[in-house]
Amino acid sequence: MVIGYKPYLMPKILNGTKIHTLREDPHNRWRAGLKMHQSTGVRTKKYKCHRVDECTNVQDVFMSIQYGRLDVSIEDAKGNFGFAPLYHPERLILAQNDGFDTVEEFDAWFKPIVEQYTNGREFKLIHWTDFKY
């Protein structure tokens, strides 16, 4: 499947510092084994597929607003049921692995999306490396 990015993120994908992407996926389309056409300019004349990867894993992520701040919980990769909250060291790793330099940048991007939903929002963390949380 084609997965689009802002052009400024492509160098981080190509140099290996962005190793996954967080996306809304209400129809559960993403799963391990799918080809990922990592692209910019999707649905425009400037479309370019920069590389093709394979989706290696998908983890559920739940974000909500608690006392005015963004809370992030992630599905346990060890097969346990439920979500584990991420605190600062893990939040920074998540943010950087997703292409942000800081937790504040990550929060500034996702908080307005999550604020639209009263009970929080679920996302899919789509991996193309063997890394898991």
Side-chain angles (χ1 to χ4, degrees):
M1 287 198 296
V2 173
I3 190 158
Y5 299 96
K6 301 283 186 191
Y8 69 87
L9 286 172
M10 198 50 63
K12 292 182 177 192
I13 293 169
L14 296 174
N15 73 19
T17 56
K18 178 173 172 60
I19 62 170
H20 53 57
T21 189
L22 270 162
R23 301 293 171 120
E24 293 180 273
D25 185 21
H27 304 292
N28 292 314
R29 298 179 316 147
W30 286 100
R31 62 187 179 284
L34 288 178
K35 295 292 181 203
M36 303 175 65
H37 296 259
Q38 312 257 27
S39 307
T40 54
V42 176
R43 296 188 181 121
T44 72
K45 291 180 182 180
K46 294 183 178 183
Y47 172 81
K48 182 176 180 186
C49 179
H50 295 267
R51 71 187 231 186
V52 178
D53 291 298
E54 183 175 322
C55 176
T56 57
N57 186 43
V58 177
Q59 288 180 276
D60 291 328
V61 174
F62 185 77
M63 295 187 205
S64 62
I65 306 297
Q66 300 295 326
Y67 304 104
R69 68 179 193 77
L70 185 68
D71 277 359
V72 180
S73 297
I74 193 163
E75 173 188 31
D76 188 328
K78 297 178 179 87
N80 299 324
F81 292 101
F83 289 83
L86 294 182
Y87 298 107
H88 185 60
E90 296 87 6
R91 288 274 309 274
L92 179 59
I93 292 167
L94 174 72
Q96 290 174 336
N97 286 344
D98 204 49
F100 297 92
D101 292 327
T102 66
V103 169
E104 292 76 18
E105 288 178 9
F106 178 92
D107 288 359
W109 180 267
F110 284 102
K111 187 177 177 187
I113 297 168
V114 175
E115 285 177 327
Q116 298 175 34
Y117 302 93
T118 306
N119 297 320
R121 188 70 176 156
E122 190 170 308
F123 295 84
K124 300 292 183 186
L125 186 60
I126 304 165
H127 296 270
W128 57 87
T129 69
D130 291 330
F131 184 87
K132 292 181 190 175
Y133 292 92

